[in-house]
């Protein structure tokens, strides 16, 4: 995997879409996991600090020792991390920038709802001549979504809650729009862990790491005529 940052204590890598982070009940016979690839790539133990959905690409943080992993975990729990995701959704959110504050359960077998908050900003909008239901065109938006909490599939479920479904999401998205993109060669979910900021556990300095979108995500932006956001957008 592409290494975005590395030092003696930790690394940030660019996880490709379609790769599970580690074995779990959701693996369903999978044998290829990011955790195993990274142990082989770095030829040393690795400790994953957080997770990304299989369909999500982008920044994945890992530690090389228990103490660093524990310190990063405490920072994550204390909400000292900044996680910015790029997301392509159906429609144009109103307001263009806002907060989605909607409690979520913990996923299958975890019915208790807990607070969940996601900030979002509209980076760009597009209208294309693809018919949608009774409309001759379709509208899409490129968002920067920044979850303050870390609930199960939070961004995906929050976008569904506000009726701006994430494109390519087969569980919480809109099948008609997903099909429109598949017909044009984009088969992945359009969610990308773009920028990760956190205090380094050894000296407290703020690290900000950016994973530029690639592959089918770039293809989707090209289809919509949307700009590729710069690292400071």
């Amino acid at each position: 995997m592409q290494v975005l940052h590395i030092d003696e204590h930790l690394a940030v890598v660019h996880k490709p879409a379609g790769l599970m982070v580690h074995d779990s009940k959701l693996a369903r016979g999978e044998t290829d996991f990011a955790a195993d690839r990274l142990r082989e790539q770095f030829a040393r133990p690795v400790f994953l600090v957080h997770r990304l959905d299989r369909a999500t690409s982008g920044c994945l943080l890992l530690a090389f020792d228990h103490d660093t992993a524990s310190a990063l975990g405490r920072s994550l729990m204390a909400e000292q991390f900044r996680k910015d995701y790029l997301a392509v959704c159906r429609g144009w959110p109103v307001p263009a920038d806002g907060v989605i504050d909607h409690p979520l359960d913990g996923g299958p077998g975890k019915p208790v709802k807990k607070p969940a908050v996601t900030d979002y900003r509209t980076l760009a909008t597009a209208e294309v001549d693809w018919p949608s239901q009774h409309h001759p065109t379709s509208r899409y938006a490129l968002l920067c979504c920044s979850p303050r909490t870390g609930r199960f599939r939070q961004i995906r479920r929050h976008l569904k809650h506000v009726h701006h479904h994430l494109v390519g999401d087969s569980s919480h998205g809109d099948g008609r729009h997903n099909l429109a993109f598949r017909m044009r060669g984009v088969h992945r979910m359009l969610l990308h862990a773009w920028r990760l900021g956190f205090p380094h556990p050894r000296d407290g300095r703020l690290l900000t790491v950016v994973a530029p979108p690639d592959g089918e995500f770039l293809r989707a932006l090209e289809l919509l005529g949307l700009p590729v956001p710069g690292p400071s957008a």
Side-chain angles (χ1 to χ4, degrees):
M1 269 173 272
Q2 180 187 1
V3 177
L4 303 170
H5 170 87
I6 189 169
D7 58 47
E8 61 181 309
H9 303 292
L10 58 87
V12 182
V13 299
H14 188 161
K15 185 192 84 70
L19 177 66
M20 291 199 74
V21 171
H22 54 66
D23 198 358
S24 74
K25 293 179 180 178
L26 301 176
R28 298 177 182 175
E30 285 283 335
T31 58
D32 186 17
F33 303 102
D36 295 334
R37 288 193 192 185
L38 291 167
R39 292 186 188 101
E40 182 176 352
Q41 179 174 341
F42 292 113
R44 60 192 299 188
V46 299
F47 304 87
L48 298 175
V49 177
H50 66 121
R51 292 174 290 180
L52 295 176
D53 291 344
R54 180 209 299 256
T56 304
S57 57
C59 292
L60 182 65
L61 173 62
L62 58 101
F64 293 128
D65 59 80
H66 281 289
D67 290 345
T68 300
S70 296
L72 289 168
R74 290 192 295 271
S75 295
L76 183 63
M77 294 298 293
E79 299 183 11
Q80 295 176 340
F81 273 50
R82 171 80 184 196
K83 295 181 287 183
D84 295 329
Y85 292 74
L86 296 179
V88 177
C89 72
R90 60 173 290 271
W92 297 353
V94 177
D97 303 345
V99 179
I100 305 170
D101 187 346
H102 177 67
L104 296 171
D105 61 36
K110 300 178 180 179
V112 177
K113 290 189 176 183
K114 297 182 179 181
V117 181
T118 302
D119 299 306
Y120 72 88
R121 292 186 294 119
T122 300
L123 301 179
T125 58
E127 185 167 7
V128 290
D129 58 354
W130 309 346
S132 176
Q133 289 185 298
H134 306 299
H135 304 285
T137 61
S138 297
R139 289 182 171 186
Y140 298 97
L142 174 63
L143 307 181
C144 175
C145 295
S146 305
R148 300 185 201 173
T149 47
R151 307 301 175 211
F152 178 72
R153 296 180 177 176
Q154 177 170 317
I155 293 173
R156 300 163 61 178
R157 297 162 76 194
H158 269 175
L159 289 177
K160 177 182 179 181
H161 175 68
V162 296
H163 308 293
H164 290 288
H165 304 75
L166 181 69
V167 172
D169 186 346
S170 58
S171 299
H172 311 285
D174 184 314
R176 294 164 299 182
H177 293 275
N178 294 350
L179 178 60
F181 277 81
R182 287 199 301 271
M183 291 173 61
R184 293 163 175 84
V186 177
H187 300 270
R188 62 159 293 179
M189 185 175 72
L190 296 180
L191 184 64
H192 175 69
W194 174 42
R195 189 164 51 201
L196 182 65
F198 58 95
H200 196 287
R202 295 298 172 172
D203 56 22
R205 74 186 188 278
L206 179 64
L207 286 179
T208 300
V209 183
V210 175
D214 59 10
E216 287 185 29
F217 204 106
L218 288 179
R219 168 66 177 158
L221 296 183
E222 181 182 8
L223 281 170
L224 298 174
L226 294 174
V228 180
S232 61

